[in-house]
Amino acid sequence: MSQFMMAYGLASIMLCTGMFLRARILFFQKMLVPASVIGGVIGFLFMNILAETGIVVGTNAEMYTAIVNELFTISFISISLTGTSENVDVTAKTRVKGAVGLGLVWCLLYALTPMVAAVLLSLIKGTDMDIMYGMLVPFAFCQGPGQSAAYGAIFETYGWDNAATVAITFSVVGFIAAFSVGIPMAKAGIRKGIAKNCGKIETSVLKGYFPKEEQTEYMVRDTTCSSNIETLAFHFVLIGICYVMAVGIARILSHIPGFLGTSMSSMMFMNGMYAAYIVKWLMRKLKLDFLQENSLQCKITGWTSDYLVVCAFMAVQFGIIKKWITPILLVSAVITVVTLVVCIYFGQRFGGSNDFERTLGLYGTCTGTVPSGIALVRIVDSNFRTTTSIELGACNLVMLASTPVYIIILGLAAGSISMLSAMLGLLGCVVVYLAALKLFKVWGTKTFSWK
């Protein structure tokens, strides 16, 4: 417990440092780098310098890996507990089209990137990094640090040592690629007149905090009496109940024969999502859903995201990955280029007036997370005049079509299928996703050009 609290305290210091540097340094403001990324980089350097010098601070990188896993489960529970806004018309044709297009291209990259990584690692000479570690790329780039840590941990149960560290390293590089490439891309769009909805970004947004005169009295609704239980405490109660249920679901799934049982029981974030849906359904049936406040639930999700990112950086152990740093960086660079090319090609062809915003958001999502994609969109659509941010949220449903991909990869990691079978399976998924893009008419002619 003391290790956890020290890890939490150091991560908090890094977040605070990142917040201070964002408010003071013009470069970070122009690049809109989140405090979690700034603090994460500093935390990575801090933890690895301590490890090299042998200084003990009461926690270690393994603790941060464990925290990332747990926070990711909590974030999935919190997201699943959050209801759909009544003001969002999710059936609008343009929004559905955008969500389908974004989701299918995400699925395409989810299947394509591990194939590219495998080919690259097979061609790189002078390294003992197994091709299997390249299979971690889609979890890191397309899904972020939480999922990369979770799937890396599953790989380790199959005997792939240090898979979680490698996976988190890939995700950290992905986050850096999201902003280092995405922000210049956004500025190029503004300069060339492609971004038609951009407005002036307020100083408070650039600095990352609101001065006193801009702060409002807005608070989330109290749904419980504080003399009985705080509203915030009640929402964490729901998360705790879901977590215990997720453990029960995991034990049930563990009885499925073969690698599927092992894999599905280990995916606590998915089990947490199932539990949250059950709790949400029960609350509606019992007419108790009025006790749950969506705005507060969203803030809890945001809290997990900030700490998840900074802890992911601090979990990377350079001492472990240094012998593989060259192939990791090479694979990451190529995957970044492939992701950029695919996002630009299909983003130009979704068939909407906001295709540039969609392209930008898609790239940010496919190298980091949905929030990083929305952060890039905000540069060119600061007032959210387009439906892009809503589409990025809605495309999560379409992303469920990626299920065969992670089943194939986990089967390969467990030794249940051969590399050839896995590659053919992933290629088949790529073909299906391409066909679906045509079928749903989100692969058409160009709607904008970079020239």
Side-chain angles (χ1 to χ4, degrees), residues 199-219:
K200 186 179 183 298
I201 301 177
E202 300 295 330
T203 303
S204 56
V205 175
L206 291 172
K207 291 188 174 183
Y209 67 91
F210 294 106
K212 188 173 182 179
E213 59 272 15
E214 292 184 30
Q215 295 173 6
T216 66
E217 294 296 326
Y218 170 79
M219 290 290 287

Side-chain angles (χ1 to χ4, degrees), residues 70-92:
E70 298 299 343
L71 280 177
F72 189 61
T73 301
I74 292 171
S75 70
F76 250 66
I77 290 171
S78 186
I79 290 169
S80 303
L81 284 172
T82 306
T84 304
S85 172
E86 297 177 359
N87 297 321
V88 177
D89 179 13
V90 294
T91 63

